[in-house]
């Protein structure tokens, strides 16, 4: 296990340290050989095992209003899983993001119907927000949900949907028209078996995972599928992202820690110019930069998580800072790791080559770095004006 002294920072409690130790042992035993050839099967298997062994419990508390998501726990689990296997982190994270709107805003009936299944790994969850013309500009969503009798009919397309094709439930954001723009969206639970929902395209990416474009044609859902109130969809999406963006930063942190660990082993084991690589001061300079960026990222991630857990109503700025900095820093750390590994750094299947592919999407999904800067700047301005 790499340096775990950060677990003694004041953000954490004994229960966090105990979970980190338990999950580390589980990851060593379970994640040494994740098969990437069939990512659908691998993700189903990972969700089932994470559920069976109790780790998905943390993705969606909330059977009662008194229970809330513990963001520090989510972040610790994500960074630990990411350090061992990117696909395991993906499987865990999507259960959380997909169940998030139900956990945070669902009715008692929605919570009772779905959360026991997502927590046990019996149901796979997905978050269907992005569209071809509205990835960053969420208020511009064009998928529509039309009131029809005692339910709604959804028509449109969603794209870049993680777990698309293998999910049992999708949280779908659609325009219900209470007002133009952001105030006219609503969120719905759509079952994977709904005949109006189909996979239009499977999408291959540089770090493969289940990903699809989805088509909704006359997709009928009951009134009970509406999460929160009609018109609340944008706020439900943003508030869910406020929680999970911090954990994207945590995943990036896990990737960066793994990259540093691989680099330290390389620097100690490889000899160059008659001495260990580590003896070169230029190498030490890289390692120092990597370590500083990792600690700075960890401080921002766990500051955001702790702030939310202590009851802040909104952590929009803290979460945006955590995601922005941790993902961008991890990209730099991993790039340095590849460089210090020489040719091995770009050899297919080498851990740092896999990290190099794994990290890239985190700077784009759940709000691209550019969007995080907009969010941060607006928040800074608002504070300055108040
Ligand atoms: N929590 C709760 N409410 C929020 C919120 C948040 N984090 N962010 C905004 N809102 C509210 C605002 O307060 C505003 O409410 P009122 O209408 O009552 O004033 C409303 O939602 C609209 O907000 P805003 O005017 O900021 O909307 P914009 O269209 O300008 O939002 C950004 C722009 C870029 C911030 C937003 O679209 C965004 O975060 N985009 C990235 C989306 C993303 O992560 N995509 C990836 C998909 S998931 S893989």
């Amino acid at each position: 296990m790499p340096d775990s002294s950060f677990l003694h920072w004041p953000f954490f409690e004994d229960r966090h340290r105990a979970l980190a130790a338990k999950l580390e042992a589980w990851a060593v035993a379970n994640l040494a050989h994740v098969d990437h050839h069939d990512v659908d099967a691998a993700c189903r298997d990972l969700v089932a095992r994470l559920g069976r062994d109790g780790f998905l419990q943390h993705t969606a508390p909330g059977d009662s209003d008194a229970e809330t998501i513990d963001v520090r726990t989510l972040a610790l689990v994500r960074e630990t899983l990411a350090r061992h296997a990117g696909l395991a982190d993906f499987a865990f994270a999507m259960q959380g993001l997909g169940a998030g709107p139900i956990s945070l805003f669902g009715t008692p009936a929605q919570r009772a119907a779905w959360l026991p299944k997502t927590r046990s790994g019996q149901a796979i969850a997905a978050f269907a927000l992005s569209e071809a013309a509205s990835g960053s500009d969420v208020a511009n969503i064009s998928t529509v949900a039309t009131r029809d009798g005692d339910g709604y009919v959804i028509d449109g397309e969603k794209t870049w949907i993680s777990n698309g094709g293998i999910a049992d439930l999708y949280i779908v954001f659609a325009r219900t028209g209470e007002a133009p723009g952001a105030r006219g969206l609503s969120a719905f639970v759509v079952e994977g078996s709904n005949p109006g929902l189909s996979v239009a395209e499977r999408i291959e990416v540089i770090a493969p995972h289940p990903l699809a474009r989805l088509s909704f044609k006359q997709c009928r859902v009951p009134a009970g599928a509406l999460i929160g109130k009609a018109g609340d969809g944008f706020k439900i999406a943003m508030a869910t992202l406020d929680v999970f963006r911090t954990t994207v930063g945590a995943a990036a942190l896990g990737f960066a820690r793994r990259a540093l660990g691989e680099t330290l082993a390389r620097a100690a084991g490889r000899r160059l110019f008659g001495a260990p690589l580590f003896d070169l001061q230029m190498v030490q300079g890289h390692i120092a930069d990597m370590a500083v960026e990792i600690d700075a990222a960890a401080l921002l991630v766990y500051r955001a998580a702790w702030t939310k857990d202590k009851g802040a109503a909104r952590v929009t700025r803290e979460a945006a800072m955590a995601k922005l900095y941790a993902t961008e820093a991890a990209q730099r750390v991993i790039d340095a790791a590849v460089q210090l590994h020489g040719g091995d750094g770009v050899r297919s299947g080498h851990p740092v080559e896999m990290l190099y592919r794994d990290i890239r999407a985190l700077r784009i999904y759940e709000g691209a770095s550019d969007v995080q800067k907009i969010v941060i700047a607006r928040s800074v301005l608002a504070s300055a004006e108040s």
Side-chain angles (χ1 to χ4, degrees), residues 10-183:
F11 299 123
F12 298 106
E13 299 166 20
D14 283 344
R15 64 192 169 97
H16 297 118
R17 288 182 274 275
L19 175 68
K22 183 177 162 202
L23 181 59
E24 178 65 21
W26 185 90
V28 168
N30 283 272
L31 299 180
H33 305 290
V34 174
D35 182 1
H36 288 82
H37 291 100
D38 180 345
V39 286
D40 289 8
C43 281
R44 285 197 184 95
D45 175 57
L46 285 162
V47 168
R49 281 192 287 151
L50 285 163
R52 179 197 66 197
D53 294 336
F55 296 108
L56 295 180
Q57 293 294 326
H58 305 293
T59 57
D63 286 344
S64 76
D65 286 338
E67 293 175 59
T68 53
I69 289 177
D70 187 73
V71 188
R72 288 166 294 173
T73 297
L74 289 180
L76 268 179
V77 172
R78 286 201 67 178
E79 81 150 276
T80 306
L81 293 176
R83 185 157 44 72
H84 287 272
L87 212 51
D89 164 60
F90 168 84
F92 176 86
M94 287 307 130
Q95 285 302 94
L97 183 65
I102 298 179
S103 179
L104 294 167
F105 299 98
T107 61
Q110 288 165 343
R111 292 177 185 180
W114 289 108
L115 299 186
K117 291 185 190 166
T118 60
R119 284 190 299 232
S120 63
Q122 288 169 281
I124 294 181
F127 186 81
L129 177 67
S130 296
E131 299 182 1
S134 49
S136 293
D137 184 6
V138 174
N140 192 34
I141 276 178
S142 63
T143 292
V144 289
T146 314
R147 191 82 215 213
D148 185 59
D150 59 356
Y152 290 84
V153 174
I154 303 174
D155 285 284
E157 269 203 353
K158 295 284 171 185
T159 193
W160 308 113
I161 307 309
S162 290
N163 279 343
I166 69 164
D168 300 291
L169 80 145
Y170 295 83
I171 305 302
V172 179
F173 294 85
R175 182 161 301 288
T176 38
E178 290 69 25
R183 292 183 178 186

Side-chain angles (χ1 to χ4, degrees), residues 308-325:
K308 180 70 181 162
D309 291 344
K310 289 293 155 189
R314 292 237 333 230
V315 285
T316 307
R317 177 183 2 186
E318 292 86 347
M321 285 184 172
K323 181 183 187 287
L324 172 67
Y325 186 81

Side-chain angles (χ1 to χ4, degrees), residues 9 11-12 71-72 74-76 79 245-253 257 294-308 318-319 321-327:
W9 289 352
F11 299 123
F12 298 106
V71 188
R72 288 166 294 173
L74 289 180
L76 268 179
E79 81 150 276
R245 277 177 179 161
T246 299
T247 76
V248 178
L253 184 57
R257 287 197 204 278
I294 285 170
D295 270 11
L299 283 162
L300 282 171
V301 164
Y302 290 110
R303 186 271 298 251
W306 176 86
T307 305
K308 180 70 181 162
E318 292 86 347
M321 285 184 172
K323 181 183 187 287
L324 172 67
Y325 186 81
T327 57

